[in-house]
């Protein structure tokens, strides 16, 4: 048993002696903690969850197939009755299975997930019945926003991830539609808006993780913090290409009356920054709540770091978009170093792995970006292969050392 | 509050949204005035929505040299109202207005709500492109598609959308006419013909 596991076992024993835990409760908690520390987890439970989710998806697909096959033969009332009936029944079954005395929480949560998916299907079917369409994906907005209460109610990580996936579909779709509406928009508007949404998501998720850390949703904190990392890395990476920003962005002042400081920021539309501003405000509000209620200094500082990086990217795009690749690459490098350093210090192998993945991605991309044209066919492939092999060898050695260091720190 | 009531509270906004969608559509269909609008259809497929016929209205593209319109031209994305009047078989655009008149007065026809879809550049074109948000007609996976025609067909089919327009100018699709016949009726006949061959 590790040092951490031994200390937890001692604390649990003390709680049992004080009468706060029964012998059975102490034994159960100790076994689960030991499994979690050993990285085993509740494998059987997870298998049941996956099995139940697959079963739910198949049943849902089967019902939809049956309905679709007989769609023409059904009257409007019959269609609506099926849509509402199937959707509400799934939620009822999920509730009865998951809540006491149901006794099947894993299957119940899987069925509730299907109910959440079916809500989107129900919106789509009602839209079909009445031939509805809309410019903005407001139906996806309604889908994820009205599903948030189920995340809070079930406290399920799987349902949280499902709602986040719906949120991602909506935010990028909506942003794309928004940019598409700009008068004389350019490709750089799309790129800037999407990358800044990624940066804003990094801030938002990091802040929500900090806020939830000391609440009954504490188990969401590592998931949200884990999602913040790829979002921020992805944002900086998307802006790190020199040719796209430097060589092609040479037509300042073509985007109309909404431009402020046009000579400075070239052809970018000011409205492209709106989704980022909205996400940042939400993220800052969550961060303020985290600082006030959770008092998790380390996580709050992490959120502030995400905010600083996102704000720097936005300011650079606003004032001098042609030079954004310089800052994006600098932030990527800084981010990699911080991830590896904090991964070792806090004992988080996942951070080290994210740092290494970002490093490999950057080196490979820059190699292809700058040397591809200078080398001919076969030599380019051989060169890339050798670079990747060399990096793999060096990183494997370093990674082992860093992870051993991080484990030592925690112990 | 019990867990059961919490679940009902979580579900209630979702139910309200769907019931609201149905209620708005049913109200529009029950109270709106009927118009028949010519369409220029094609048949796309969307993984999420399923199969539908895209039915952009013929009055989605207006020649501003022939139709009275406000000056300056409403900007990209803004809302306009198109007055339509009854023609021989379908309704035709007669005017573009920036606001919905409070009382149409002696004006003939109905006002349809639309959105300016393309940036207006008078140096390039005198055509104004509009979206009415009734540009889809859903059909089942195995249904016949009236927007395609074969060489042995007599010619391109005349397609028109039947819609009901409320006082706010919002249109609600009721049916699709294929050569003047309701879509379901036309589809059934096409299937009978295919089965007979």
């Amino acid at each position: 048993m590790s040092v951490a596991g031994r200390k937890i076992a001692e604390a649990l024993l003390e709680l049992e002696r004080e009468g706060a835990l029964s012998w059975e409760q102490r034994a159960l908690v100790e076994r689960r903690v030991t499994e979690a520390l050993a990285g085993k987890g509740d494998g059987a439970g997870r298998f049941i969850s996956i099995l139940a989710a697959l079963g739910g998806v198949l049943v849902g697909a089967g019902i939809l197939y049956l309905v679709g096959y007989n769609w023409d033969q059904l009257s409007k009332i019959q269609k609506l009755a099926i849509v509402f009936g199937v959707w509400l029944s799934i939620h009822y079954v999920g509730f009865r299975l998951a809540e006491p005395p149901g006794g099947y929480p894993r299957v119940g949560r899987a069925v509730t997930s299907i109910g959440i998916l079916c809500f989107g299907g129900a919106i789509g079917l009602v839209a079909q019945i009445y031939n509805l369409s809309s410019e903005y994906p407001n139906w996806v907005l309604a889908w994820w926003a009205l599903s948030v209460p189920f995340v809070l109610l079930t406290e399920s990580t799987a349902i949280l991830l499902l709602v986040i996936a719906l949120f991602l579909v909506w935010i990028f779709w909506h942003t794309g539609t928004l940019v598409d509406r700009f008068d004389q928009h350019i490709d750089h508007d799309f790129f800037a808006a999407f990358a800044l949404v990624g940066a804003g998501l990094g801030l938002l998720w990091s802040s929500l993780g900090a806020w939830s850390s000391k609440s009954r949703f504490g188990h969401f904190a590592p998931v949200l913090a884990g999602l913040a990392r790829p979002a921020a890395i992805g944002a900086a990476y998307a802006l790190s290409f020199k040719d796209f920003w430097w060589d092609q962005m040479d037509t300042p002042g073509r985007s109309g009356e909404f431009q402020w400081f046009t000579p400075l920021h070239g052809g970018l539309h000011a409205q492209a920054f709106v989704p980022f501003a909205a996400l940042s405000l939400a993220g800052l509000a969550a961060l303020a709540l985290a600082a006030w209620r959770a008092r998790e200094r380390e996580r709050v500082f992490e959120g502030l770091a995400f905010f600083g990086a996102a704000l720097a990217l936005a300011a650079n795009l606003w004032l001098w978009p042609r030079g954004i690749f310089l800052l994006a690459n600098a932030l990527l490098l800084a981010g990699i170093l911080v991830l590896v350093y904090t991964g070792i210090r806090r004992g988080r192998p996942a951070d080290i792995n994210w740092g290494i993945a970002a490093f490999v991605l950057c080196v490979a991309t820059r190699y292809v970006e700058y040397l591809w044209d200078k080398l001919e066919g076969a030599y380019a492939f051989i060169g890339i292969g050798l670079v990747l092999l060399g990096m793999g060898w060096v990183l494997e050695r370093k990674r082992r050392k860093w992870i051993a260091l991080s484990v030592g720190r925690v112990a | 509050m019990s867990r059961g009531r919490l679940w009902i509270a979580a579900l209630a906004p979702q139910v309200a949204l769907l019931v609201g969608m149905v209620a708005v559509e049913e109200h529009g269909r029950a109270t709106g005035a009927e118009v028949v609008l010519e369409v220029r259809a094609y048949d796309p497929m969307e993984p999420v929505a399923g199969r539908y016929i895209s039915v952009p209205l013929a009055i989605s593209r207006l020649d501003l040299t022939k139709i009275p319109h406000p000056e300056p031209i409403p900007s990209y994305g803004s809302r306009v109202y198109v007055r339509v009047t009854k023609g021989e078989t379908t309704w035709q655009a007669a005017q573009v207005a920036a606001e919905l008149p409070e009382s149409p007065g002696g004006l003939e026809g109905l006002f349809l709500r639309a959105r300016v879809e393309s940036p207006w550049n008078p140096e390039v074109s005198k055509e104004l492109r509009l979206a009415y948000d009734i540009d889809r007609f859903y059909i089942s996976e195995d249904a016949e598609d009236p927007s395609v025609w074969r060489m042995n067909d007599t010619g391109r089919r005349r397609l028109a959308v039947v819609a009901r327009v409320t006082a706010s100018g919002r249109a609600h699709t009721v049916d699709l006419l294929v050569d003047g016949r309701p879509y379901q009726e036309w589809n059934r006949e096409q299937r009978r013909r295919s089965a007979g061959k």
Side-chain angles (χ1 to χ4, degrees):
Chain A
M1 189 186 283
S2 69
V3 177
R6 212 162 38 239
K7 283 182 179 171
I8 291 170
E10 284 167 11
L12 289 171
L13 203 61
E14 212 163 303
L15 283 170
E16 190 195 339
R17 283 188 199 127
E18 288 166 10
L21 290 176
S22 69
W23 177 84
E24 289 90 345
Q25 285 171 325
R26 200 265 302 158
L28 181 67
V29 173
E30 195 178 321
R31 185 163 56 82
R32 288 285 171 88
V33 167
T34 310
E35 280 175 1
L37 284 176
K40 275 164 66 185
D42 185 1
R46 211 169 295 146
F47 177 71
I48 293 167
S49 299
I50 293 168
L51 204 66
L54 279 175
V57 168
L58 285 175
V59 170
I63 292 167
L64 286 176
Y65 185 73
L66 263 179
V67 172
Y69 194 73
N70 297 293
W71 197 242
D72 277 351
Q73 280 74 49
L74 299 170
S75 71
K76 195 164 64 185
I77 294 291
Q78 285 171 324
K79 287 175 186 172
L80 287 172
I82 290 172
V83 170
F84 279 87
V86 169
W87 167 55
L88 291 175
S89 302
I90 286 172
H91 267 301
Y92 180 71
V93 172
F95 170 74
R96 291 311 299 252
L97 287 171
E99 298 294 324
Y104 295 92
R106 290 176 192 284
V107 181
R109 295 288 176 256
V111 175
T112 299
S113 305
I114 303 302
I116 289 170
L117 289 174
C118 278
F119 176 52
I123 297 175
L125 286 174
V126 169
Q128 260 193 36
I129 292 167
Y130 292 102
N131 297 300
L132 304 177
S133 61
S134 69
E135 185 191 15
Y136 282 98
N138 294 331
W139 63 280
V140 191
L141 165 67
W143 190 0
W144 77 258
L146 296 179
S147 299
V148 170
F150 287 98
V151 178
L152 306 177
L153 203 54
T154 59
E155 298 173 23
S156 156
T157 305
I159 292 179
L160 169 76
L161 289 172
L162 179 63
V163 172
I164 286 176
L166 294 174
F167 176 75
L168 281 176
V169 170
W170 170 74
I171 189 87
F172 281 105
W173 191 346
H174 195 103
T175 302
T177 311
L178 180 81
V179 175
D180 205 28
R181 234 189 192 207
F182 300 164
D183 191 2
Q184 297 179 48
H185 58 264
I186 53 176
D187 290 346
H188 300 75
D189 283 318
F190 283 104
F191 239 82
F194 287 145
L196 285 177
V197 163
L201 287 173
L203 163 65
L204 180 65
W205 286 333
S206 166
S207 307
L208 287 174
W211 183 23
S212 65
S213 60
K214 287 276 176 73
S215 69
R216 67 190 170 104
F217 304 106
H219 56 294
F220 288 166
V223 178
L224 290 163
L227 288 170
R229 282 147 177 74
I233 291 169
Y237 177 73
L239 296 169
S240 68
F241 293 85
K242 176 178 176 269
D243 287 357
F244 183 75
W245 294 97
W246 189 260
D247 297 342
Q248 295 171 33
M249 200 157 183
D250 53 357
T251 50
R254 62 168 132 174
S255 42
E257 61 192 275
F258 292 104
Q259 294 308 299
W260 306 332
F261 313 116
T262 302
L264 280 172
H265 68 77
L268 280 184
H269 281 70
Q271 305 98 304
F273 294 78
V274 170
F276 166 73
L279 285 170
S280 296
L281 282 177
L284 284 176
L287 204 57
L289 284 167
W292 177 50
R293 294 191 60 179
R295 296 179 199 281
E296 274 260 28
R297 276 185 63 190
E298 202 165 275
R299 287 186 188 274
V300 171
F301 280 134
E302 189 179 294
L304 285 173
F306 275 106
F307 176 60
L311 194 66
L313 285 174
N316 196 150
L317 274 171
W318 185 274
L319 297 170
W320 189 42
R322 295 184 75 195
I324 187 64
F325 71 96
L326 292 170
L327 179 67
N329 280 299
L331 283 175
L332 270 175
L333 187 61
I336 290 164
L337 293 174
V338 168
L339 278 172
V340 172
Y341 173 72
T342 55
I344 293 170
R345 222 187 103 234
R346 293 188 209 163
R348 288 188 193 161
D351 277 359
I352 297 171
N353 291 338
W354 275 120
I356 289 171
F359 179 71
V360 170
L361 186 68
C362 286
V363 172
T365 307
R366 296 294 87 86
Y367 178 86
V368 173
E369 193 180 17
Y370 294 113
L371 292 180
W372 187 265
D373 293 340
K374 296 177 181 64
L375 295 172
E376 283 179 17
Y379 297 112
F381 283 111
I382 293 168
I384 292 171
L386 287 175
V387 166
L388 291 178
L389 277 173
M391 274 197 322
W393 183 71
V394 172
L395 289 173
E396 183 57 39
R397 281 183 59 197
K398 285 281 173 199
R399 184 178 168 275
R400 260 191 233 140
K401 195 178 145 194
W402 288 337
I403 289 182
L405 262 174
S406 78
V407 172
R409 290 252 178 190
V410 170
Chain B
M1 197 187 277
S2 72
R3 294 285 292 172
R5 286 191 178 164
L6 281 172
W7 276 77
I8 291 170
L11 263 178
Q14 297 191 347
V15 175
L17 176 85
L18 288 175
V19 171
M21 283 169 72
V22 172
V24 166
E25 287 304 313
E26 287 297 335
H27 180 259
R29 288 168 175 222
T31 60
E34 191 168 290
V35 293
V36 180
L37 302 157
E38 185 190 348
V39 295
R40 287 155 190 171
Y42 58 97
D43 175 25
M45 171 80 194
E46 201 178 273
V48 184
R51 188 180 176 209
Y52 62 92
I53 306 167
S54 191
V55 286
L57 304 182
I59 56 168
S60 294
R61 294 177 173 210
L62 298 179
D63 183 352
L64 292 184
T65 58
K66 295 176 182 165
I67 292 176
H69 55 84
E71 288 289 355
I73 301 296
S75 60
Y76 182 42
S78 62
R79 186 174 283 184
V80 293
Y81 294 87
V82 178
R83 184 162 65 86
V84 289
T85 54
K86 197 170 183 181
E88 202 172 308
T89 52
T90 57
W91 292 55
Q92 305 297 326
Q95 177 197 354
V96 179
E99 303 285 338
L100 184 67
E102 281 183 21
S103 58
L107 288 174
E108 181 200 353
L110 294 162
F111 280 90
L112 264 175
R113 193 169 79 187
R115 191 179 63 249
V116 178
E117 205 169 44
S118 59
W120 172 250
N121 187 350
E123 289 167 14
V124 179
S125 166
K126 290 287 177 195
E127 184 184 80
L128 184 66
R129 292 187 188 184
L130 301 168
Y132 295 84
D133 287 339
I134 51 165
D135 54 359
R136 285 183 180 195
F137 188 81
Y138 287 92
I139 57 174
S140 63
E141 296 300 318
D142 56 346
E144 293 291 328
D145 176 8
S147 67
V148 294
W149 57 287
R150 300 172 193 88
M151 292 303 284
N152 56 356
D153 288 340
T154 47
R156 227 179 228 293
R157 300 180 185 96
R158 280 180 299 108
L159 298 180
V161 156
V162 181
R164 287 201 171 256
V165 185
T166 58
S168 66
R170 187 175 163 188
H172 304 263
T173 305
V174 176
D175 203 352
L176 179 71
L177 299 181
V178 185
D179 290 332
R181 296 161 64 200
Y183 172 76
Q184 290 297 349
E185 190 186 309
W186 174 85
N187 187 43
R188 273 195 294 273
E189 191 191 299
Q190 294 298 311
R191 280 180 174 175
R192 269 200 301 273
R193 274 193 198 174
S194 304
K197 276 181 187 173

